[in-house]
Amino acid sequence: NEGNEYFKEKDYRRAVVAYTEGLKKKCEDPELNAVLHTNRGAAEFYLGNYRSALNDAIQAKKLKPTHLKAIIRGALCHMELKNFSEAIAWCEEGLQIDSKEKKLVETRAKADKLKPEGTLLEVGADFSTHWWCRAVMGIDLLCERNIKLVLEPSNEEEELSDGLAEISLDGFHSDNVTGAKVHLDADGNLNWPVLFLYPEHEQTDFIAAFHESSRFIDHLMVMFAELPPWDLERKYLPNNIELYFEDEERAEMYKLNPEQTLLQVLQHKRYFVKAGTPTILAFVRHSPFSKKYFSGKKVHRL
């Protein structure tokens, strides 16, 4: 209620603080939590914090998949971030719930109009021609950034399969990362779908559009503004999390500096992007699990 009052007064910063305090209460009502995330996302949106607003929309949609306000907010965030393909996907999802929702219809039409032709690097898409015809689109962008992309034909006709390839790690996998693709925004920057894996709890997080110049610590601050429900020991705090990537060929690990940007990590000579989705492993610093996990493994520091 306090957040709503601040919102009405257009004091969006205080509204964000109030909704955050509400979320910290860990109410067991998923619908109320969905509203808190949606409202905080709206306040963040009016402050121009579109990535934070999008993360709130994603969380709200997880709690209540049919929450139209969250879906509309997510679509609008993608529009502001110039992620027009993602905006279209969110609109279509909402229109399946309410085909006459005016805001979604308008946003869908606007995204269609603004979506540039040929800016998607269609990795993991359903190709109607040979896989390499689409893969070479944007290859210059990757080369000039020194990013190494692993493309593997999936059958005799050398076509890539539908969706993103299954990503597995020590016996668990994520099968919910579908449809998101790396894309070029209007400013000439790449936005990547990024998967975070939490081996200790066999959990994942997915960021649909991680700007290449964004720092990891900035995303951690948003992702862990509230502790996830599976973190019963309350130890996944932004400054207590260590990030790594794995060099599968050499069976070695590389520890990231959270102050680094996504681009800095992707440019590392031993980082290979598979299935069009950069993958990052997250551990709690000095935890018994991480000590056991890294026992006997060679770890490099970036």
Side-chain angles (χ1 to χ4, degrees):
N1 289 337
E2 185 179 288
N4 290 346
E5 289 299 320
Y6 284 130
F7 195 94
K8 288 176 186 176
E9 296 168 6
K10 298 186 179 180
D11 190 343
Y12 300 121
R13 292 189 186 281
R14 287 185 178 177
V16 167
V17 172
Y19 293 133
T20 300
E21 288 301 313
L23 285 164
K24 285 180 180 178
K25 296 299 180 183
K26 298 294 180 184
C27 172
E28 294 183 0
D29 182 352
E31 187 153 345
L32 178 55
N33 286 331
V35 171
L36 284 166
H37 274 294
T38 302
N39 289 4
R40 186 175 68 175
E44 292 279 18
F45 183 89
Y46 285 113
L47 288 170
N49 300 332
Y50 303 123
R51 295 184 195 284
S52 295
L54 178 58
N55 275 306
D56 267 321
I58 291 170
Q59 290 302 318
K61 191 154 69 78
K62 283 181 182 178
L63 291 163
K64 188 180 178 183
T66 59
H67 194 28
L68 267 180
K69 284 188 177 180
I71 294 173
I72 292 170
R73 184 61 57 198
L76 292 175
C77 288
H78 278 304
M79 289 296 291
E80 292 295 334
L81 294 167
K82 305 196 185 320
N83 304 335
F84 301 120
S85 295
E86 284 80 359
I88 290 170
W90 278 66
C91 287
E92 289 180 346
E93 186 175 348
L95 290 169
Q96 289 179 2
I97 300 168
D98 183 353
S99 61
K100 297 180 181 179
E101 169 53 54
K102 185 180 178 182
K103 195 68 179 177
L104 290 174
V105 172
E106 291 175 352
T107 303
R108 174 71 169 80
K110 186 177 179 182
D112 255 336
K113 188 176 180 180
L114 292 173
K115 178 183 173 185
E117 292 296 325
T119 58
L120 286 179
L121 308 183
E122 298 278 359
V123 179
D126 180 16
F127 296 122
S128 56
T129 57
H130 287 298
W131 68 275
W132 51 267
C133 292
R134 294 277 190 89
V136 295
M137 290 172 55
I139 197 68
D140 290 342
L141 293 170
L142 300 180
C143 288
E144 71 184 26
R145 286 167 168 78
N146 195 28
I147 296 175
K148 296 163 287 298
L149 190 69
V150 178
L151 294 173
E152 297 178 354
S154 61
N155 57 35
E156 293 178 358
E157 297 177 359
E158 293 189 333
E159 293 178 353
L160 292 180
S161 61
D162 262 340
L164 294 178
E166 178 179 273
I167 296 171
S168 61
L169 177 72
D170 289 354
F172 78 96
H173 66 275
S174 171
D175 56 6
N176 62 346
V177 186
T178 57
K181 305 176 184 69
V182 56
H183 67 275
L184 188 69
D185 65 23
D187 297 320
N189 299 304
L190 291 178
N191 291 263
W192 292 84
V194 176
L195 182 66
F196 286 81
L197 303 177
Y198 307 98
E200 182 174 1
H201 297 279
E202 299 187 359
Q203 297 287 333
T204 63
D205 265 327
F206 181 60
I207 297 177
F210 194 131
H211 192 282
E212 62 181 354
S213 297
S214 292
R215 302 181 306 165
F216 282 91
I217 187 61
D218 295 330
H219 281 279
L220 290 179
M221 295 298 288
V222 173
M223 293 160 62
F224 293 94
E226 297 86 37
L227 293 174
W230 43 263
D231 182 16
L232 300 178
E233 298 179 35
R234 304 177 67 81
K235 56 187 181 181
Y236 278 79
L237 303 171
N239 294 323
N240 199 34
I241 295 173
E242 293 183 338
L243 302 176
Y244 296 81
F245 73 81
E246 186 172 12
D247 181 347
E248 295 181 6
E249 182 181 331
R250 298 180 179 179
E252 297 175 350
M253 306 291 292
Y254 287 82
K255 183 181 178 182
L256 282 58
N257 179 346
E259 300 289 333
Q260 288 179 306
T261 65
L262 175 61
L263 180 59
Q264 287 175 313
V265 172
L266 297 184
Q267 289 177 329
H268 190 274
K269 62 182 180 181
R270 294 307 304 171
Y271 198 99
F272 299 90
V273 180
K274 294 188 177 181
T277 307
T279 304
I280 301 296
L281 284 69
F283 300 85
V284 172
R285 182 182 289 109
H286 303 313
S287 69
F289 179 88
S290 64
K291 289 179 181 178
K292 181 178 179 181
Y293 188 93
F294 291 110
S295 177
K297 294 184 180 180
K298 188 172 183 178
V299 179
H300 305 272
R301 295 178 184 272
L302 271 63

